[in-house]
Every structure is written in C-alpha cells, then in structure tokens.
Amino acid sequence: MTAPRAAPPALTIRLAQPIVEDDEKRAVIEALESGQLAQGPRVAAFEEAFAAYIGVQHAVAVNSGTAALHLALLAEGIGPGDEVIVPALSFAATANVVLQAGARPVFVDVRDDDFGIDPASVEAAITPRTKAVMPVHLYGQACDIVAVRDICGARNVTLIEDAAQAVGAAVDGAKCGSFATAAFSFYATKNLQTGEGGMITTGHDAVADAARMLRSQGERTRYVTEELGYNYRMTEVAAALGNAQLPKIDARNEQRRANAAQLTQLLSGIDAIETPRELPGRRHVYHQYTIRVRAGREARDRLQATLRNAGIESAVFYPTPIHRQPLYQRLGYGDTRLPVAERLCGEVLSLPVHPALSDDDLRCIAAAVADAMRA
C-alpha cells in the first residue's frame, strides 16, 4: 500500500501580508453604510489626493492596474497600426493591453542593474510605426526613465509609464508617474492595497478627459454614448481603503526600505547571490526584494524549494519573459531573442520584505538562504 503523501509545511513567513488597520476597516464600513457603493465622492477624493501625492494635475481611478494601462494607451491615441515598445521582463499585462488597444507590442531587452527597460534597446527599436514606449518600474525601483523620456522627446514618441509596482518610487525627488501619463495598480499585494484597483495619472487635460469617459461606457453624460467604452469604474469601497492608506504609504515604504537594507546586510557574505541595488538618485520602494542566483535556474529553483520547506514563501517574478509566452509565440515572436531578460528569468527570486515582518523574520529568511546556498 502506498504511504500517504506528507502535507507541505505550513508557511510561517508569507511573501506578502496585506495590512488593514482599524481606521481602514471603519472607512470600508462607512462606505458600505453610505448607500453609494459605485463610483462617488470617495473615489473623487482619492483621485484628488493621489494626484497631489504624485505631483500631477489629474488622477483617474479605475478598477485594476490592467484597466489603467489599457485606458492610458487609448487616451493617448494608441490604436491599430501602431507599435508600442515594451520590456520583455514584466507581468504579461504590460504587453496584453497593447494588443487590447489594437496595436502591436515590440519587445526590447532590460538592464541587469535595475531590471528596467534598456534605453539603448529602445532607441534601436523605434520605427516610423512606433507610437509609444511603455517602460516598467519593476519591483519598486524606477527604470532609467529620464533617458527614455529624452529619447521619446527627440523621436516624437509618446511615453507611458507602467508604475504598477512603484507607488512612491522616485528619481531625484520626482515620483514615478509624474514623468508622463502613467498607470498604477492597487492589487492586494501592492504597497498601497485596495484589493483591486488602479489609477491613471497625467498632466494632460485631454488624456484625463478621455480616460474618464472611456472608464464609464464611453459616456460623459449618462446614457449618451460618445465612444466605445468600458466598465472600468472604481468602487467606493476600494476608494475608502485607498483614502485611508494613502497617508500611510510613505511610512510603510520606509519600513520596506529598512527591511530591505537589513536583508542586504544579512545576505552580504553569500557570493552565490546578488542582492538588489538602489541606484544613485533613485528611491526604491521594494514592492519586491528580488535577489539573483548566479548559478541559474536550477540553483534558484532549489533555493526556492528549500525556503518553502522551511516555511518561507518566495516567488519568481517572472519565470518566462513575455515574448516567450505561448500567446506571443503563436503571434509570431518565436525568433525574438533578448538575452538579458531571458537570463534574468532564470535567476530572479523575490523574498519577503513587507512591513509586517519582524527582525526575527528577517534573520530567519537570511539564515535559510545562507544554509541553502551552502548545501
């Protein structure tokens, strides 16, 4: 008789731990009791506060980060026949929304110091059909957005920031989301969490107006349909959470930064891994604390399994570059070769760094990594 399979060990240290404090719970209850659950005054207040936080004129709330990316493209006039340059190392939504807008994603490589889009690759990929470049501020650190902005300006190409993982990240004091029209995510694991939700930020009146219309069935006036739109509205419950969390985001980000610094110090003697770097002039908010395992995929996967057996959750963001995903292979990207992104997908591993971790948790994580790499 086959022996029963042992149950996996219980996770004692989670990769993400949403923090919902008493005032946030009260805000949600007040929204539920208000009688207005769909987009209303709490959404408007969240938009105003978020625009002020980022330092832009407009913020348009929607129901997910993917919706924010999609509407940012549409509001900037991206459509059929256009090409949009995107990095190959990101969540697939970065490219999927380009397809949803009717345009064609063009994949370029990333840099291995900040995991962000490579400006030289961007410049080389621009063609007469290029309408936009959409860099990603991955893991909570800004990409080289100033260089990309300068390239876009010189080549008359629209810049759209995918800042889904970068609420509060900055370059020389200017926050991600303030360099161009941008999209943020407030998914349950993000630094600012509303369960689901997203935001478009922009300094352009026309872009904000188009995004507001398109998020609500293409209507500026109720029951007057001007364009093919979507039901991308944010709920009052999500906005209630956002309004309660936004004043805390900087303190929570600072705790992430402190946790990251402690992890880096504890892991500093392990030659087999490379810890993340905060590049000069940038403020990393550590949506993820992502190490690189120098020996490659098999060693990385063994480390992840060892951590899991020790009750420590980790994750690979992302195991496959977007151009290698089955969808994009079917769409004809099979010959695309982007060596840095492809190599990084076999090396990266994200460790817990969220604000709920204790010093003991951080020491436990580092000790488990050290033990695994010595084995």
Side-chain angles (χ1 to χ4, degrees):
M1 187 170 96
T2 303
R5 181 177 298 175
L11 292 171
T12 57
I13 301 178
R14 303 303 300 257
L15 181 66
Q17 181 65 55
I19 299 173
V20 182
E21 297 178 328
D22 287 345
D23 62 318
E24 296 163 36
K25 295 175 185 177
R26 287 194 299 270
V28 169
I29 292 170
E30 288 170 5
L32 291 171
E33 292 177 342
S34 71
Q36 182 167 4
L37 301 185
Q39 181 176 298
R42 290 170 179 82
V43 171
F46 188 28
E47 291 174 328
E48 182 178 358
F50 196 81
Y53 177 75
I54 298 298
V56 295
Q57 188 172 355
H58 301 285
V60 181
V62 291
N63 57 14
S64 73
T66 303
L69 286 170
H70 186 204
L71 290 196
L73 287 165
L74 296 180
E76 285 282 5
I78 309 302
D82 296 331
E83 292 181 349
V84 178
I85 295 173
V86 298
L89 180 61
S90 182
F91 184 49
T94 299
N96 293 350
V97 294
V98 177
L99 296 178
Q100 290 164 359
R104 178 179 180 273
V106 174
F107 296 103
V108 297
D109 218 339
V110 298
R111 298 189 342 192
D112 60 7
D113 57 352
D114 62 6
F115 305 106
I117 201 166
D118 177 17
S121 296
V122 170
E123 190 152 32
I126 293 175
T127 74
R129 294 182 297 278
T130 304
K131 186 68 177 288
V133 178
M134 193 158 66
V136 178
H137 303 301
L138 197 65
Y139 304 142
Q141 177 162 229
C143 68
D144 194 352
I145 189 66
V146 174
V148 178
R149 182 188 61 186
D150 291 346
I151 292 168
C152 289
R155 302 293 291 273
N156 194 29
V157 171
T158 299
L159 175 63
I160 298 172
E161 298 175 71
D162 182 341
Q165 300 182 6
V167 176
V171 179
D172 294 329
K175 287 191 174 69
C176 294
S178 67
F179 293 89
T181 295
F184 291 87
S185 171
F186 307 133
Y187 181 66
T189 61
K190 295 298 194 295
N191 295 33
L192 193 158
Q193 310 146 353
T194 67
E196 287 281 9
M199 193 77 77
I200 301 160
T201 56
T202 185
H204 303 293
D205 295 348
V207 171
D209 179 65
R212 292 187 182 109
M213 174 187 64
L214 291 168
R215 74 175 169 185
S216 190
Q217 302 292 359
E219 298 177 355
R220 288 186 178 88
T221 303
R222 195 173 187 187
Y223 304 135
V224 179
T225 303
E226 299 180 36
E227 302 285 349
L228 177 62
Y230 306 86
N231 180 3
Y232 281 170
R233 295 182 297 270
M234 178 178 278
T235 69
E236 287 286 278
V237 172
L241 269 174
N243 284 321
Q245 287 195 4
L246 186 57
K248 306 174 184 180
I249 186 63
D250 285 339
R252 291 180 177 179
N253 281 343
E254 283 304 314
Q255 186 60 58
R256 287 177 179 269
R257 287 167 54 79
N259 290 349
Q262 188 169 345
L263 279 174
T264 295
Q265 181 180 21
L266 291 168
L267 296 171
S268 61
I270 307 174
D271 293 335
I273 66 170
E274 182 175 323
T275 54
R277 289 172 280 171
E278 180 178 66
L279 297 187
R282 307 192 203 181
R283 181 174 185 264
H284 199 325
V285 294
Y286 292 96
H287 168 60
Q288 301 293 344
Y289 182 89
T290 302
I291 64 172
R292 292 171 55 189
V293 180
R294 300 180 192 276
R297 189 179 299 269
E298 289 187 7
R300 188 271 312 281
D301 292 349
R302 286 196 301 271
L303 170 58
Q304 185 176 26
T306 301
L307 293 175
R308 178 65 178 80
N309 288 333
I312 299 168
E313 188 175 22
S314 63
V316 178
F317 302 110
Y318 298 91
T320 305
I322 307 174
H323 66 285
R324 291 279 184 91
Q325 295 286 349
L327 168 63
Y328 291 94
Q329 294 290 289
R330 292 198 303 272
L331 292 175
Y333 292 88
D335 293 333
T336 302
R337 294 292 179 268
L338 300 170
V340 178
E342 291 164 13
R343 174 168 46 80
L344 288 174
C345 285
E347 297 178 349
V348 294
L349 183 67
S350 294
L351 305 176
V353 75
H354 56 80
L357 294 169
S358 68
D359 288 345
D360 284 345
D361 291 333
L362 296 169
R363 285 190 288 269
C364 180
I365 294 165
V369 171
D371 289 346
M373 299 312 295
R374 281 195 295 265

